[in-house]
Structure formats: structure tokens, C-alpha cells
Amino acid sequence: MPRWLPRAMVLALALVACFQLASWGFHQLINLLLNILIAFFLALAVEPAVDWMAHRGVRRGLATGLVFCGILVAAAGFFALLGSMLAGQIAKMVEEFPQYLDDVISWVNGTFHTHLSRLEVQNNLLKSDWLQKYVQDSANNVLAVSGQVLGSLFNLLSVALFSFYFAADGPRLRRALCSVLPPSRQTEVLRAWEIAVAKTGGYLYSRGLMALISGVAHYVLLEILGVPYAPALGMWVGLVSQFIPTIGTYLAGALPILIAFTVDPWYALWVFGFVVIYQQFENYLLQPRITARTVDIHPAVAFGSVVAGTALLGAVGALIAIPATATLQAFLSAYVKRYEVTDDPRVHGRGRRGAAALARVRRTLHDRHPSTHPKDREADGGGDRGEGGGSGGDGRSGGPDDR
């Protein structure tokens, strides 16, 4: 046996063990890494506001705390309004449930010629096996649900803590990162950081502005129609439609349509039509103007990034996919060498036949309306002289048919 073989086997086993240990550690820490990633992008989003306050004499820690307090107050107000709306609607549905049940039973008896009664239906529902099993399973899963709620709160606090330190100690973090890099790399890292701050902050603020416009527009409509909880519903539509990618528009419009239906079915139709029309106005007029200088990426690229982010990281990937893609696109654009595009008709979506027809039309218009500019006349004369010289060399036309 060669002398190097045992050493090679030990080295291979050590590499396999290190790989297994690293894989186990990564899977154990995946939740913490996701929280740090979310916190980093949240810190990038709030850093412009923190810098603005810091440049005006406010200490950076205090500025970060004020920004996060504003976010916390806004979030608490939103959930308070939404919770009161849901609680009111649930209480109203429970109060009017007997009337709804009587209407349904009357419709079933009149349509199918049955003889059902509300008491009989209620007893059958209360004594049904599936209801009892559902109540039993819910009681058994109380601890599991409580654990999930506590885990979500812990993750939320972890994200808030990490994002606070990232935003408050941003300059110190950049100095620590640049201290282990050569000067040329330091410039690139700082430039990438600046682009990430600009794109992420621009994404958040542009979405916030569009959420405000959308919320006010839907609030005005719901208030005119007399739909209850119009402020909370307007806020719901604005935030959900802007900050939940792809399906946010449909989730946002479903709740006001449902509540408007409880008031009057025609109101639900009006709300549905307004949601569809406003979505087209936002997609084609409002959003391009607001996001042109902040998150300038193609809609197909944005949709693909959301799909890829969802496949990789779930809901977290869907939320950070667009600012991450915009940052990567802006950073790589500086290293992609671009050339002047040729004037080939195929570049402009026209074939060779279409280009030839367009050239003949231009020549016809030029012959009918010759240019009066001296340079144009000189160019035309030079072209005519060139053609005359070409034909006078042998006394014949230079066309391919004569040859």
C-alpha cells in the first residue's frame, strides 16, 4: 500500500466530516440567517431617513430610534383599525347569523320543496362529527399555535433589533468591512452599499407613496358608498396591494368587495369595477412615473425575481426580491460595456422588405419636395454628380439590369 494512501483517506474523511458539520450548522441557523437578511434590507430602507436626520444634528442612535418609533406607531395604528373592523364585522355576522340561516332555509324549502327548520339544522350542526372533531383538534393544538405565535414574536423582535443596529452603526459597520480590504476593493464595496441603500430606500418610499394614493382613492369611494370602516379598508387596500407582490392586488380588493356586498350587492360591483380601473391607472400611469428614478426594472424582470425569491426563501424572498434585483442590476450596469446599436431594420422590428419599402417612400417624398438647405442641396448635388459620373464613364446606366 502506498504511503500517501492512508493520509489521503484521512483527509477525505475529514473533508466529508467538515461538510456534514457545516451543512448541519447551516440548517440549524437558517432561521437566524433569514432574520439577519431581512434586518439588513430593512436597515438599508430606513438609512436615508436616518442620514437625513443625522446631517441635521440629531445623533444617529436617536434618529434611528425615532424612525423605528414612527414605523411602530404606523403599524400599531393599522392593525388596531383592522382589528376593530374585523371584530365589528364578526360580531355583526354572529348577531345576524339566525336571520341569514332563516333566509337560506326559506330559499332551500321554496326551491327544493323541503320542510327544514332552523332548530333542526342547528341541532344537526352542533351534533355533527366533523364539528366535534374540529373542536377537539383545536383544543389539542392550542399549545402548538401558542408556540408558533411566540416564535413569530421572537423573530419579529430579532429582526427589529438587528435592523436597529445595522442602521444606527452603519458607518462603523462600513469602516469595519473596509478595514480588511485593499483600497481598490473598498471603493467598490462602498459604491455597492450606496447603490443598495438608494434602490432599497427608493423601493420602500415609492411603494409607500403609491400605498398612500391608493388608500386615499379607495377610502373616498367607500365613504361615498357608505361602506362601514372605510378608513381601515382604504389603508388595507393601499398597504396590501403595494407590499405583497403579485397577489397583493387581489387580496387587497377582496375584503372591501366582501364588506360592500353585505351592505348592497350593487356596491360590491361598484367597488370591483373601481379596483380594476384603478389598477390599470396605477400600472400604466402612476407607477412608471413614481418608480422611474428609484426602481427602474422591467416588469417581466420584476415578476421573475419575485418568483425566484419565493422559490428560494418563501415570503421573505418575495418581499426582498425586487430591491435586491434592482441593486444587482444597477451595480452590474457599470461593468457591462455597451456599444452603439446598428441601424439594421431588424433591430427596430422591421424586416428587409419593410425597410426597402420605407426607403422607396422616403426617396419619393424627397423627389417631390427637395430640400432648400444649402448643405442638403450640396449633398443632393454631390449625389447626382456621383451618379452622373458613374453613368458617364461608359455611357451606360450603372444599374444591374443594363449590366
Side-chain angles (χ1 to χ4, degrees), residues 137-180:
D137 293 341
S138 300
N140 294 333
N141 293 331
V142 169
L143 293 178
V145 173
S146 302
Q148 291 179 357
V149 172
L150 292 177
S152 300
L153 291 176
F154 179 77
N155 291 333
L156 184 61
L157 292 176
S158 300
V159 169
L161 183 63
F162 280 119
S163 59
F164 178 84
Y165 283 122
F166 284 153
D169 293 337
R172 186 184 306 176
L173 181 61
R174 288 192 287 270
R175 286 196 300 268
L177 183 60
C178 291
S179 64
V180 297

Side-chain angles (χ1 to χ4, degrees), residues 328-373:
L328 182 63
Q329 175 180 315
F331 184 68
L332 293 179
S333 62
Y335 300 95
V336 177
K337 187 176 181 180
R338 298 183 180 272
Y339 300 92
E340 185 177 356
V341 179
T342 181
D343 199 18
D344 193 296
R346 289 169 292 185
V347 176
H348 304 286
R350 299 190 301 266
R352 293 186 178 275
R353 294 183 178 179
L358 183 59
R360 287 196 297 268
V361 172
R362 287 177 176 174
R363 284 198 300 268
T364 303
L365 294 176
H366 181 269
D367 293 339
R368 293 182 179 179
H369 304 283
S371 176
T372 58
H373 196 276

Side-chain angles (χ1 to χ4, degrees), residues 64-75:
T64 306
L66 292 176
V67 172
F68 274 87
C69 285
I71 296 175
L72 180 61
V73 169

